[in-house]
Amino acid sequence: MRIAFFDAKPYDISSFEKFAEERNIKIKYYETKLNADTAELARGADCVCVFVNDSLDKETVDKLYDDGVKLIALRCAGYNNVDLSACDGKITVVRVPAYSPYSVAEHAMAMLLTSIRRIHKAYIRTKDFNFSLNGLTGFDLHGKTVGVIGTGKIGRCFIDICKGFGMNVLCYDKFPVKDSGLNYVSLDEIWGKSDVISFHCPLTEETYHILDETVVDKLKKGVVIINTSRGALIDAEALLDGIKSRKIGAACLDVYEEESDLFFRDVSGHILEDDVLARLISMPNVILTSHQAFLTDEALEGIAQTTTQNILDYFRTGKCENEVHLQNA
Ligand code: NAD
């Protein structure tokens, strides 16, 4: 089995090498992302292993198929970056449906606490021996209402954490979990009643820009928005306008709609072309991490273990329980 591994980072290589050696899988690592221009690097490989910002559009998939690639092994849960129709009947797609949901849920809470207790500001001040507290007033989470959109694995962990803080939790899910004891309400109730809103649903045609300018009008003044799911759930310009108009009190973003050319890279020596992102970053009440929520030892190990097992299962049996089927997408 020859694997072409795209968008490889040092932390990926160290977690994957352990399992690849044990399982006798040969991996060739490429720093570059996979797209139609780089697809030829996979020539001669049986499988490509890809992450969230690799582009598996029709042109790329067709090139991979022509070059004999049989399997796309996603080392993530989401598959919004894969044209499943183009893969249908040609290339099998497998993913990692679960790996430490705690990693993402805890990161969401870390960002929320950092934001509302102004830790990001205090850290910089005390480094400069500025011990003033002016402007650092926050608010208690206890007794506040959090709206959670998507009550799957990560959403449920986040809900448990919020309950631990004594928050009142409102939930919205297209497929509510029966007998869960969760308080499911309409999206409009989430928008209108929440002091904090956190997104944990997948990016689909239905959830694209689920927070847009029409929704901003419905939000409670001062709401804190957390997005650790996928950038395009939020219309970034509408978010920026909501912050400028003081309707949105703060934003904690681990993902951004146009992140694919920026995140996971050091572009500090370049001029940022994206004015919306630059303006968001310049805001004192916006915290941005670059798709980092999954990055814990436990999650990396889980990703490497499941991905290498998916590859073995597929090439040994032709089947894999973590296959992504077009009809289920
Ligand atoms: P999951 O499949 O367990 O849960 C997703 C939930 O969203 C399900 O309950 C589903 O019913 C619900 N849902 C589906 N369509 C919906 C809609 N239209 N409206 C509302 N809810 C809807 O997934 P998960 O493991 O909890 O992951 C959630 C998301 O987190 C993933 O889709 C992925 O985009 C993101 N994620 C981000 C990181 C990161 O590092 N930032 C890491 C892992 C996952």
Side-chain angles (χ1 to χ4, degrees), residues 177-189:
V177 187
K178 285 194 185 107
D179 304 323
S180 59
L182 297 177
N183 184 11
Y184 284 105
V185 298
S186 67
L187 262 183
D188 273 343
E189 250 184 279

Side-chain angles (χ1 to χ4, degrees), residues 295-316:
L295 198 65
T296 66
D297 290 336
E298 292 80 0
L300 287 173
E301 174 155 346
I303 289 170
Q305 188 168 22
T306 304
T307 305
T308 50
Q309 191 61 49
N310 285 345
I311 293 169
L312 277 189
D313 288 348
Y314 175 77
F315 284 108
R316 279 184 186 156

Side-chain angles (χ1 to χ4, degrees), residues 22 85-86 92 112 120 142 173 197 200-201 206 263 284 301 312:
E22 272 173 29
S85 310
T92 300
L112 175 60
H120 55 308
H142 187 271
D173 198 298
I197 296 174
H200 299 289
C201 58
E206 220 171 331
F263 283 17
E301 174 155 346
L312 277 189

Side-chain angles (χ1 to χ4, degrees), residues 3 14 34 39 59 93 100 125 161 196 199 205 220 255 270 293-294 299 308 320:
I3 317 297
S14 53
L34 176 60
E59 193 184 351
V93 181
S100 180
R125 278 192 195 183
I161 294 171
V196 176
F199 291 93
E205 274 177 24
K220 193 167 168 180
V255 285
H270 299 260
F294 74 99
T308 50
C320 174

Side-chain angles (χ1 to χ4, degrees), residues 56-65 72 83 86-87 91:
L56 290 115
D57 55 10
K58 184 174 177 347
E59 193 184 351
T60 310
V61 170
D62 287 348
K63 283 189 177 175
L64 294 175
Y65 178 69
I72 294 170
D83 184 335
C87 296
I91 299 186

